[in-house]
C-alpha cells in the first residue's frame, strides 16, 4: 500500500495556485465527499488555492464486520483510544507524505501547504502534520482525534511546533464523542501547540457556522 500513489480530485480556485490544501475524507467516503466545500467557503482575499481530495485505499474494516471500504486505517472496535491500527496509521502517513511531496514538486513550498481532514482524515492530518519535517501552513482538523497519542511527544517534529491548528467537533457527535476530541485538544495545548478550538451543536458532520469559522481561519493562516 505504501508504494501506491493515491488517486485524487483536484480543484483550483484560480490559475497558478500558490497554496495547496490536501483534504482527507472520513471512513467509508472518498475524495468526492468534501468537494462541495470549496464553493461553500468564503475565500475572498485568499491567494489561488489548489484543493487536493485524495481517495483513501480500500481495506476490510473490523468494526464493520470486515466489509471492504475506503479507509485510512482499520477501526478495531469502539475503544478507539486504546485499540488502534498503528500499522495502518503509519502506512497512510507515508501516503499523505507523498501527497505533500507531490505538491512541493509542483512548486508549492511546504509552508504554503495545509493538511485538512474529517474524522479519520482528521486523525491522519494530526498523525502526519505533527511529525512532518518541514513547517506546514496549518492543520485543519474536523470531528476527529489525536491518534497514537502515547508517542507524539517523542515523535513530533519541532518544525511544526508553531503551526496553527484548527480543531473542531460536534457536541452531539455519536461516532467520536466530544470528550475524545477535548482530550486531544488538551494534550496538544499541554505540548505547546497553537490550537484554535471550536465546538458546535451538531452530530458527526459539518455545519454552516463551522464553515464560517474555517473561512476566517484560512484567511488568517494564508494572509
Amino acid at each position: 500500500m505504501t508504494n501506491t500513489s493515491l488517486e485524487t480530485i483536484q480543484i483550483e480556485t484560480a490559475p497558478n495556485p500558490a497554496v495547496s490544501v490536501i483534504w482527507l475524507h472520513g471512513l467509508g467516503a472518498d475524495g468526492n465527499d468534501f468537494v462541495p466545500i470549496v464553493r461553500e467557503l468564503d475565500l475572498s482575499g485568499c491567494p489561488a488555492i489548489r484543493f487536493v481530495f485524495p481517495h483513501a485505499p480500500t481495506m476490510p474494516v473490523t468494526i464493520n464486520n470486515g466489509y471492504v471500504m475506503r479507509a485510512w486505517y482499520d477501526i478495531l472496535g469502539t475503544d478507539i483510544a486504546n485499540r488502534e491500527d498503528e500499522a495502518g496509521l503509519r502506512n497512510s502517513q507515508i501516503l499523505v507524505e507523498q501527497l505533500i511531496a507531490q505538491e512541493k514538486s509542483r512548486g508549492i513550498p511546504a509552508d504554503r501547504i495545509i493538511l485538512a481532514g474529517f474524522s479519520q482524515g482528521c486523525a491522519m492530518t494530526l498523525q502526519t502534520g505533527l511529525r512532518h519535517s518541514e513547517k506546514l501552513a496549518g492543520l485543519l482538523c474536523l470531528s476527529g482525534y489525536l491518534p497514537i497519542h502515547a508517542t507524539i511527544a517523542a515523535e513530533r517534529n519541532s518544525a511544526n511546533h508553531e503551526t496553527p491548528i484548527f480543531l473542531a467537533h460536534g457536541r452531539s457527535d455519536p461516532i467520536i464523542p466530544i470528550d475524545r476530541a477535548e482530550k486531544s485538544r488538551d494534550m496538544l495545548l499541554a505540548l505547546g501547540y497553537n490550537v484554535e478550538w471550536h465546538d458546535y451543536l451538531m452530530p458527526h458532520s459539518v455545519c454552516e457556522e463551522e464553515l464560517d469559522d474555517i473561512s476566517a481561519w484560512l484567511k488568517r493562516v494564508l494572509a
Side-chain angles (χ1 to χ4, degrees):
M1 186 174 78
T2 55
N3 293 321
T4 303
S5 59
L6 297 171
E7 293 183 4
T8 63
I9 298 168
Q10 300 186 22
I11 298 174
E12 296 183 359
T13 61
N16 304 312
V19 173
S20 292
V21 177
I22 300 170
W23 201 307
L24 311 172
H25 63 75
L27 177 67
D30 66 17
N32 291 286
D33 202 30
F34 278 87
V35 167
I37 287 288
V38 176
R39 64 174 178 266
E40 295 179 36
L41 292 171
D42 175 9
L43 300 173
S44 56
C46 289
I49 301 172
R50 178 187 297 121
F51 284 88
V52 179
F53 300 98
H55 304 306
T58 57
M59 65 180 71
V61 176
T62 301
I63 200 170
N64 290 337
N65 298 313
Y67 187 79
V68 175
M69 61 181 64
R70 292 199 181 275
W72 297 106
Y73 52 90
D74 194 10
I75 302 292
L76 302 173
T78 56
D79 185 8
I80 56 173
N82 297 307
R83 295 186 64 214
E84 293 188 280
D85 174 20
E86 183 172 341
L89 279 153
R90 294 189 187 278
N91 283 339
S92 283
Q93 179 185 342
I94 295 170
L95 295 176
V96 178
E97 290 280 5
Q98 290 174 357
L99 292 171
I100 295 171
Q102 177 178 292
E103 291 310 295
K104 287 175 56 185
S105 74
R106 300 165 82 183
I108 309 294
D111 64 2
R112 299 299 276 171
I113 297 174
I114 291 174
L115 283 186
F118 176 83
S119 194
Q120 270 203 346
C122 168
M124 287 310 311
T125 293
L126 290 168
Q127 171 71 21
T128 308
L130 299 180
R131 293 167 172 82
H132 188 66
S133 61
E134 294 177 285
K135 187 183 186 307
L136 299 169
L139 305 179
L140 177 59
C141 308
L142 311 179
S143 298
Y145 58 93
L146 177 65
I148 322 183
H149 60 273
T151 64
I152 188 59
E155 295 181 358
R156 64 185 175 144
N157 195 298
S158 60
N160 281 292
H161 188 254
E162 303 297 327
T163 298
I165 300 173
F166 183 100
L167 195 61
H169 214 87
R171 294 196 288 273
S172 55
D173 191 327
I175 307 299
I176 302 172
I178 192 170
D179 71 302
R180 181 76 175 97
E182 290 171 336
K183 288 175 181 175
S184 298
R185 174 201 64 196
D186 293 346
M187 178 172 286
L188 291 170
L189 289 171
L191 291 169
Y193 286 101
N194 173 20
V195 179
E196 180 178 318
W197 167 262
H198 296 269
D199 57 76
Y200 308 95
L201 186 58
M202 66 175 184
H204 196 61
S205 61
V206 177
C207 66
E208 185 174 350
E209 182 184 356
E210 184 177 25
L211 292 176
D212 291 341
D213 290 334
I214 292 170
S215 297
W217 181 82
L218 285 171
K219 289 179 181 182
R220 288 196 301 275
V221 167
L222 298 177

